Amino acid sequence: RLSSALQGVFRNLRGYGRLTERNVQDALREVRRALLEADVNYEVARDFIARVREACLGEAVLSSVTPGQQIVKRIHDELVRLLGGSRRDFTLSPAPAGVLLLGLHGAGKTTTAAKLARTWSREGRRVLLAACDLRRPAAVEQLRALAARVGVDAIGPEPGDTVAGAGARALETARREGYGVVLYDSGGRFQVDPDLVAELHDLHRTVAPANTVLVLDAATGREAVAVARTFHESVGLTGLVLTKLDGDARGGAALSVHAATGCPILRVGTGEKPEDLEPFHPDRIAARILG
Amino acid sequence: ALGRGGPDEDTVEALEVALLGADVSAVLVDELVDRLRDERTRGAEGARAAVADVLAAALPEPSFDWAAAPRPMALLVVGVNGSGKTTTCAKLARAAAAAGRRPLLAAADTYRAAGAEQLALWAERLDCPVVAGRTGGDAAAVVFDAAAAVEARDRDALLVDTAGRMHTREPLMRELEKLQRALAKRMPGAPHETWIALDAAMGQNAIAQARFFHRVTPLTGAVVTKLDGSARAGFLFSIGRELGIPVCYAGLGEGPDDLAPFDRTAFVQALLD
Ligand SMILES: Nc1nc2c(ncn2[C@@H]2O[C@H](COP(=O)(O)OP(=O)(O)OP(=O)(O)O)[C@@H](O)[C@H]2O)c(=O)[nH]1
Ligand SMILES: Nc1nc2c(ncn2[C@@H]2O[C@H](COP(=O)(O)OP(=O)(O)OP(=O)(O)O)[C@@H](O)[C@H]2O)c(=O)[nH]1
Ligand SMILES: [Mg+2]
Ligand SMILES: [Mg+2]
């Protein structure tokens, strides 16, 4: 645990009054260790420590009787500030507002599409779920089943459609039939697969969605930075959804992705059911990352 | 500078960054770095070889062999949501048939939307018999029926696909025990193998996943999936050392042939490159 690790660093200094810069360095090494164990990318952790170093060398920390607590507080506050800073939300107008979900295989895109559809449908919006995963067996069936479960319309591809073509068909239907929101569920892909990145790029260009959202598993390791950065460069991300926070992953990927893209985390997935979608609380994820 | 007493600091730091970036645990990296600093390793190449040796030693040697496995046998595939279980079961059916076995797939994911349909589609493509239940039905009943079908249809390798579940959810982990008991009831000695699917892109949480699943349904192997991405699955060393679970296969794509026996040496070399 970080707080006990820091207590360990400062235990031997009690009674010597003021801390030295060296003591703070030792403490920051423990913080770096905690971040790395929380799956924060090495460079992101290093840059983050550099940012907070100044704050940790201030008078309040150096002459405190509980310097460990002071440092944790400053780290925590900076994490919250970073993660919660850009408090944007989805852009749901003008209609039909497009929301394109993308990400690695199995991240939770299809499930998240249904969760978002449920949320917005309960707000009185007319939502269309658009299946744009033409690769995974039974992907369209999965989306249709979820759509039925949350009481929302779904549209699938026609034989011969390309991924972009399926998206265009959905957008055309959304406009013609007056839907308020159209959610495009895309297939899983690696950011290092040029064909799949090109496919995503085509889909994005075709449907020109107001929202381009990376769906990321909270347990993702240090590759999260590369994943987010490449997708951001290719299609421009407007937000993130972090899934599977009902597990016990520390969630350092959240910090890594934020560092790489500056995008807001819009929602978090906390389970498999359609209602398991919550607003993002930066203080909770900060506490989790710090362990 | 390359003097006596260990490789230079730049080499050590470069290795440290490479290993951390590959999701090797910070504890193991520290241990390796300490070793390198004490060792009389000479230069960058010596350091790399020393690290490669320690890492390779952390991975238990897999001993599973389709030809030698009992007839009939049952293999249970478990893991957290989205880790690649269903796709891996399809690939294993392909591998089993190629190795002269007669597989039968059990779609014991009775929870997730289109969970059984996904496996059924694969079974059709592979021309492999499959036993499924209805969504919302009892997974243990599917498993029991599938074991009976193995006997009735003269198959000799039952491959059981289970629903994804968070290792932190007690009732779901209990259900897995129930599946094991149902299997054992209908097929003596089953499950002969219980393998966990681990997504190569996961960070340190993969270790917790393996630990928890291992406690509930003792794991005899692991399949590292999605290794065709950029992630390096460095967590496998901790799992190997702490739990002794061998990695039997690597998933290298979305197709039925995208499965290869796990090559420990190649894995370590690729990680250090
Ligand atoms: N426990 C938990 N499971 C989740 C969450 N979100 C999604 N899942 C599950 O994760 C698994 C994968 O979800 P999908 O929606 O199929 O993922 P995907 O990104 O569409 O997968 P691909 O289309 O294959 O890339 C399913 O078992 C979901 O039920 C979550 O927040 N918590
Ligand atoms: N590239 C690649 N994709 C894979 C691999 N294994 C699985 N996938 C993909 O990962 C996604 C999830 O695979 P599934 O087989 O549905 O995973 P699962 O563990 O059964 O998921 P749940 O049943 O929902 O928990 C799908 O898009 C698969 O095609 C692999 O080795 N390489
Ligand atoms: Mg999907
Ligand atoms: Mg499955």
Side-chain angles (χ1 to χ4, degrees):
Chain A
R1 288 218 33 152
L2 179 61
S3 39
S4 47
L6 290 184
Q7 270 176 33
V9 167
F10 295 121
R11 197 192 334 272
N12 306 323
L13 309 175
R14 201 136 303 157
Y16 286 90
R18 208 181 152 75
L19 289 187
T20 65
E21 199 167 306
R22 180 60 209 275
N23 303 141
V24 172
Q25 284 291 66
D26 289 345
L28 289 179
R29 192 166 309 125
E30 288 302 321
V31 176
R32 194 191 78 138
R33 159 68 70 85
L35 294 176
L36 290 176
E37 285 177 356
D39 295 327
V40 177
N41 175 280
Y42 180 86
E43 274 124 20
V44 173
R46 187 198 52 204
D47 295 347
F48 179 79
I49 295 292
R51 289 172 90 115
V52 296
R53 199 171 157 274
E54 282 314 299
C56 294
L57 289 173
E59 193 53 34
V61 177
L62 295 180
S63 55
S64 165
V65 289
T66 54
Q69 274 183 32
Q70 287 293 320
I71 286 178
V72 172
K73 175 156 183 359
R74 269 158 189 64
I75 304 280
H76 176 91
D77 291 351
E78 178 62 10
L79 267 178
V80 173
R81 195 188 67 77
L82 273 184
L83 293 173
S86 44
R87 278 225 173 248
R88 273 166 277 145
D89 205 341
F90 290 89
T91 301
L92 297 184
S93 64
V99 181
L100 170 55
L101 299 180
L102 63 117
L104 298 176
H105 313 268
K109 299 174 290 300
T110 305
T111 311
T112 299
K115 290 176 179 179
L116 289 168
R118 175 186 175 279
T119 303
W120 294 329
S121 156
R122 286 160 67 98
E123 286 172 5
R125 300 170 194 276
R126 278 194 64 225
V127 183
L128 179 65
L129 279 167
C132 295
D133 179 357
L134 277 53
R135 188 169 13 261
R136 170 171 153 158
V140 179
E141 283 91 319
Q142 184 188 5
L143 190 67
R144 285 195 186 286
L146 289 170
R149 190 165 158 190
V150 301
V152 163
D153 295 338
I155 181 169
E158 296 291 319
D161 273 357
T162 58
V163 167
R169 182 185 301 284
L171 178 55
E172 159 63 15
T173 302
R175 281 182 178 141
R176 194 181 59 240
E177 318 242 323
Y179 285 93
V181 183
V182 52
L183 271 153
Y184 305 95
D185 176 29
S186 70
R189 72 199 65 231
F190 292 127
Q191 84 284 6
V192 288
D193 184 330
D195 295 336
L196 291 189
V197 173
E199 178 189 87
L200 177 68
H201 188 84
D202 283 347
L203 173 61
H204 184 263
R205 193 173 33 94
T206 302
V207 303
N211 305 271
T212 305
V213 178
L214 175 66
V215 177
L216 187 78
D217 189 323
T220 308
R222 294 172 198 128
E223 208 53 25
V225 175
V227 171
R229 185 175 295 140
T230 306
F231 284 135
H232 191 46
E233 284 167 9
S234 168
V235 292
L237 301 175
T238 61
L240 253 63
V241 173
L242 205 59
T243 61
K244 308 180 201 169
L245 269 163
D246 47 314
D248 58 1
R250 297 269 291 277
L255 181 59
S256 298
V257 177
H258 184 277
T261 66
C263 282
I265 298 173
L266 299 172
R267 294 289 187 284
V268 297
T270 55
E272 293 192 73
K273 302 198 292 301
E275 52 267 34
D276 295 332
L277 188 73
E278 295 180 16
F280 172 62
H281 295 289
D283 54 323
R284 284 188 210 167
I285 194 95
R288 203 173 158 134
I289 289 173
L290 291 176
Chain B
L2 308 179
R4 66 195 79 193
D8 63 22
E9 263 318 295
D10 287 349
T11 303
V12 175
E13 181 157 343
L15 270 170
E16 186 178 16
V17 173
L19 292 172
L20 287 173
D23 290 308
V24 179
S25 93
V27 169
L28 180 51
V29 174
D30 280 353
E31 194 180 310
L32 286 165
V33 162
D34 289 345
R35 263 229 205 174
L36 282 181
R37 291 200 176 115
D38 298 341
E39 211 118 312
R40 305 284 132 180
T41 341
R42 310 215 132 244
E45 261 325 294
R48 191 175 177 285
V51 168
D53 286 345
V54 174
L55 291 180
L59 298 173
E61 180 174 4
S63 60
F64 177 76
D65 171 22
W66 289 108
R71 283 152 213 270
M73 64 164 282
L75 191 165
L76 187 63
V77 178
V78 303
V80 302
N81 304 82
S83 55
K85 300 175 292 300
T86 304
T87 311
T88 296
C89 284
K91 295 172 182 178
L92 288 172
R94 171 77 108 211
R101 302 295 299 235
R102 291 189 304 284
L104 185 144
L105 286 162
D109 178 356
T110 53
Y111 177 75
R112 208 206 69 210
E117 281 83 339
Q118 186 186 355
L119 190 69
L121 268 170
W122 273 121
E124 196 179 335
R125 276 182 212 182
L126 299 167
D127 192 23
C128 177
V130 58
V131 169
R134 356 168 298 277
T135 306
D138 178 21
V142 173
V143 158
F144 190 89
D145 291 350
V150 165
E151 195 178 338
R153 300 191 217 181
D154 188 32
R155 310 301 291 172
D156 67 19
L158 178 61
L159 307 172
V160 185
D161 182 25
T162 61
R165 69 201 69 222
M166 279 302 162
H167 54 287
T168 46
R169 296 215 33 212
E170 204 35 47
L172 300 185
M173 298 305 282
R174 290 282 87 82
E175 190 210 38
L176 220 40
E177 287 182 327
K178 191 160 161 261
L179 290 192
Q180 275 199 329
R181 284 198 297 273
L183 257 179
K185 211 179 285 173
R186 193 60 187 74
M187 185 189 290
H192 305 81
E193 298 287 334
T194 303
W195 292 358
I196 184 169
L198 295 168
D199 184 333
M202 296 298 101
Q204 301 308 297
N205 196 248
I207 304 168
Q209 292 172 19
R211 227 182 261 137
F212 277 69
F213 274 91
H214 191 47
R215 242 178 259 161
V216 173
T217 49
L219 302 171
T220 59
V223 177
V224 57
T225 63
K226 311 176 203 173
L227 200 56
D228 46 319
S230 55
R232 292 294 170 78
F235 53 77
L236 288 177
F237 302 107
S238 302
I239 289 174
R241 271 215 309 189
E242 238 185 82
L243 306 172
I245 299 166
V247 182
C248 306
Y249 279 104
L252 298 166
E254 298 189 71
D257 294 311
D258 295 330
L259 188 75
F262 185 66
D263 181 338
R264 294 179 296 163
T265 315
F267 177 71
V268 172
Q269 293 305 330
L271 200 138
L272 291 175
D273 278 342

PDB file of all heavy atoms in Angstrom, chain B residues 86 109 112 118 161, ligand 4:
ATOM      1  N   THR B  86     -13.932 -18.227 -26.108  1.00  0.00           N
ATOM      2  CA  THR B  86     -14.743 -18.857 -27.148  1.00  0.00           C
ATOM      3  C   THR B  86     -13.915 -19.092 -28.403  1.00  0.00           C
ATOM      4  O   THR B  86     -13.935 -20.188 -28.985  1.00  0.00           O
ATOM      5  CB  THR B  86     -15.980 -17.985 -27.440  1.00  0.00           C
ATOM      6  OG1 THR B  86     -16.696 -17.786 -26.214  1.00  0.00           O
ATOM      7  CG2 THR B  86     -16.882 -18.626 -28.476  1.00  0.00           C
ATOM      8  N   ASP B 109     -21.502 -21.281 -21.958  1.00  0.00           N
ATOM      9  CA  ASP B 109     -21.800 -19.883 -21.643  1.00  0.00           C
ATOM     10  C   ASP B 109     -23.279 -19.711 -21.907  1.00  0.00           C
ATOM     11  O   ASP B 109     -23.697 -19.534 -23.044  1.00  0.00           O
ATOM     12  CB  ASP B 109     -20.980 -18.912 -22.513  1.00  0.00           C
ATOM     13  CG  ASP B 109     -21.327 -17.450 -22.219  1.00  0.00           C
ATOM     14  OD1 ASP B 109     -22.248 -17.186 -21.401  1.00  0.00           O
ATOM     15  OD2 ASP B 109     -20.678 -16.562 -22.810  1.00  0.00           O
ATOM     16  N   ARG B 112     -24.191 -14.866 -21.579  1.00  0.00           N
ATOM     17  CA  ARG B 112     -24.000 -13.679 -22.414  1.00  0.00           C
ATOM     18  C   ARG B 112     -24.819 -13.723 -23.697  1.00  0.00           C
ATOM     19  O   ARG B 112     -25.005 -14.796 -24.284  1.00  0.00           O
ATOM     20  CB  ARG B 112     -22.523 -13.548 -22.770  1.00  0.00           C
ATOM     21  CG  ARG B 112     -22.111 -12.106 -23.015  1.00  0.00           C
ATOM     22  CD  ARG B 112     -20.930 -12.007 -23.919  1.00  0.00           C
ATOM     23  NE  ARG B 112     -21.306 -12.419 -25.264  1.00  0.00           N
ATOM     24  CZ  ARG B 112     -20.471 -12.980 -26.114  1.00  0.00           C
ATOM     25  NH1 ARG B 112     -19.225 -13.179 -25.777  1.00  0.00           N
ATOM     26  NH2 ARG B 112     -20.887 -13.311 -27.312  1.00  0.00           N
ATOM     27  N   GLN B 118     -22.225 -17.864 -30.868  1.00  0.00           N
ATOM     28  CA  GLN B 118     -20.874 -17.598 -31.366  1.00  0.00           C
ATOM     29  C   GLN B 118     -20.097 -18.912 -31.489  1.00  0.00           C
ATOM     30  O   GLN B 118     -19.473 -19.186 -32.517  1.00  0.00           O
ATOM     31  CB  GLN B 118     -20.181 -16.628 -30.404  1.00  0.00           C
ATOM     32  CG  GLN B 118     -18.819 -16.141 -30.838  1.00  0.00           C
ATOM     33  CD  GLN B 118     -18.149 -15.292 -29.754  1.00  0.00           C
ATOM     34  OE1 GLN B 118     -18.740 -14.996 -28.720  1.00  0.00           O
ATOM     35  NE2 GLN B 118     -16.907 -14.910 -29.987  1.00  0.00           N
ATOM     36  N   ASP B 161     -16.408 -24.406 -23.249  1.00  0.00           N
ATOM     37  CA  ASP B 161     -16.323 -22.952 -23.250  1.00  0.00           C
ATOM     38  C   ASP B 161     -17.219 -22.432 -22.138  1.00  0.00           C
ATOM     39  O   ASP B 161     -18.390 -22.814 -22.059  1.00  0.00           O
ATOM     40  CB  ASP B 161     -16.799 -22.407 -24.613  1.00  0.00           C
ATOM     41  CG  ASP B 161     -16.691 -20.892 -24.706  1.00  0.00           C
ATOM     42  OD1 ASP B 161     -15.859 -20.299 -23.986  1.00  0.00           O
ATOM     43  OD2 ASP B 161     -17.443 -20.298 -25.508  1.00  0.00           O
TER      44      ASP B 161
HETATM   45 MG    MG C   4     -17.103 -16.345 -24.879  1.00  0.00          MG
END
